[in-house]
Amino acid sequence: MVWVPLRPTRTDHRAPLRAPTPCGTTMSLEWLMGWSWSLDGLRDFIATGIQSFRDCDATALAAVACFLVLFVWYCYHVGREQPRAYATVNALMQSAEANGVQNGYVYCHSPECVRCTHHDGLNQKLYHNLQEYAKRYSWSGMGRIHKGIREQGRYLNSRPSIQKPEVFFLPDLPTTPYFSRDAQKHDVELLERNFQTILCEFETLYKAFSNCSLPQGWKMNSTPSGEWFTFYLVNQGMCVPRNCRRCPRTYRLLGSLRTCIGNNVFGNACISVLSPGTVIAEHYGPTNIRIRCHLGLKTPSNCELVVGGEPQCWAEGRCLLFDDSFLHTAFHEGAPEDGPRVVFMVDLWHPNVAAAERQALDFIFAPGR
């Protein structure tokens, strides 16, 4: 609201009061030219404003006041809002815990394991990590991760039973049980070209199985039906130096892969040996941000991988790419003389996770955070 005083005529340059114009009158150039910024003029201006407020419509003033109150309330609400405390990882795993088995074998209870350790308040922790990342770098490109963390419980609980990642779900990623070789063409071709190198290093390692004890560096996973063994070079984002020294060429190969996940807890690289007669029970992986790649090293008949209800077979020297956040199982129904099924397993980034998102996820899910 603006009020237009008359052109001053008095010698003391004080503008006389004039009846206030109705609310909404525009400021005139004449008033700007004639105003004298003396103390008395300021006093007259304030008095004019007060009188004008009194003359304004009370309904309009009430409406403006209501809008101001609503705006202040909105700012306060947004400023104090925290991520919703939906079900945590602990709650999501209760059904598996009731059976005493997860992913086909008993909980490992390792404090370093992102899947077997129950983290209360995980969503709040992830949100804090995201805020810390954004302060150091930028919020640019973080919309999907922010959305995923805030609504994590809803996403996990509302997912169809065919795909239920146990730890973290990134929304709006294309979902399919299997991926074509072109999804990560460079890395697939590089692995396949080095098939013989990886196979030779595995065979050297496997010679230690001639005795009865579990060889150093290997981990045994028991199931209700048989067992399988793993030899990790990278375990949940952490390099295993002793094992890497025993497979130096394979370890160097990992550094040449463009999309290998090596800096967060969802990244693994290992040799997996499935004994004849073993069935790995149906289970879900921890996240949908990765593609699990299996390079077949030894693939006898009667071995099969089933992801999302779709069966596939391994082939020696060929890569098989799948999303392990889908319900999946693996089994070896061959005879003992057929020998084990052996694959080199490495986790690659999902092709639709952008570079900025990969950097942020490496920070948020860094080992030990």
Side-chain angles (χ1 to χ4, degrees), residues 23 38 61 85 89 106 142 144 161 193 195 197 239 262 274 277 285 303 305 326:
C23 290
S38 64
L61 290 176
V89 177
V106 179
M142 296 299 104
R144 190 159 55 176
S161 60
R193 284 198 304 268
F195 160 69
T197 297
C239 174
L274 189 66
C303 295
L305 173 69
F326 281 80

Side-chain angles (χ1 to χ4, degrees), residues 26-162:
T26 58
M27 181 181 291
S28 69
L29 181 61
E30 180 182 4
W31 182 83
L32 289 172
M33 297 294 295
W35 179 259
S36 175
W37 287 102
S38 64
L39 185 61
D40 291 337
L42 182 60
R43 180 197 62 198
D44 293 343
F45 175 75
I46 295 173
T48 303
I50 294 173
Q51 184 60 39
S52 297
F53 261 104
R54 291 174 179 172
D55 293 342
C56 281
D57 182 65
T59 304
L61 290 176
V64 171
C66 288
F67 279 121
L68 287 174
V69 170
L70 288 173
F71 178 72
V72 171
W73 174 85
Y74 174 78
C75 292
Y76 170 76
H77 179 72
V78 171
R80 70 186 294 270
E81 191 175 20
Q82 294 295 326
R84 301 175 190 177
Y86 290 105
T88 62
V89 177
N90 185 30
L92 296 174
M93 294 183 176
Q94 282 179 354
S95 60
E97 186 180 18
N99 298 324
V101 174
Q102 176 194 355
N103 293 354
Y105 56 93
V106 179
Y107 285 114
C108 70
H109 299 291
S110 169
E112 292 81 21
C113 183
V114 68
R115 300 175 67 175
C116 300
T117 303
H118 296 171
H119 297 286
D120 293 323
L122 176 64
N123 295 345
Q124 286 74 15
K125 180 180 179 181
L126 297 182
Y127 189 77
H128 173 77
N129 291 347
L130 174 61
Q131 287 182 315
E132 185 178 345
Y133 172 85
K135 289 177 182 178
R136 292 189 184 186
Y137 302 100
S138 171
W139 278 104
S140 178
M142 296 299 104
R144 190 159 55 176
I145 296 178
H146 183 253
K147 176 182 176 182
I149 291 176
R150 290 177 60 83
E151 304 291 339
Q152 195 61 205
R154 181 174 69 84
Y155 282 128
L156 296 182
N157 290 328
S158 64
R159 295 299 302 166
S161 60
I162 195 172

Side-chain angles (χ1 to χ4, degrees), residues 191-210:
L191 287 168
E192 291 179 351
R193 284 198 304 268
N194 288 272
F195 160 69
Q196 287 295 337
T197 297
I198 301 172
L199 177 61
C200 288
E201 293 195 328
F202 157 71
E203 289 176 338
T204 301
L205 290 172
Y206 199 64
K207 290 177 182 178
F209 274 89
S210 57

Side-chain angles (χ1 to χ4, degrees), residues 181 187-200 202 250 253 257 270-273 292-299 305 313-322 341-348:
R181 296 162 48 82
D187 290 351
V188 166
E189 292 179 348
L190 184 61
L191 287 168
E192 291 179 351
R193 284 198 304 268
N194 288 272
F195 160 69
Q196 287 295 337
T197 297
I198 301 172
L199 177 61
C200 288
F202 157 71
T250 302
L253 177 64
L257 300 178
C270 73
I271 295 172
S272 175
V273 178
R292 179 146 281 186
C293 176
H294 282 183
L295 172 65
L297 301 182
K298 290 184 177 294
T299 58
L305 173 69
C313 294
W314 296 275
E316 292 182 5
R318 300 284 288 181
C319 287
L320 181 62
L321 281 68
F322 64 99
R341 180 239 59 183
V342 184
V343 298
F344 179 63
M345 184 193 79
V346 58
D347 291 321
L348 309 176

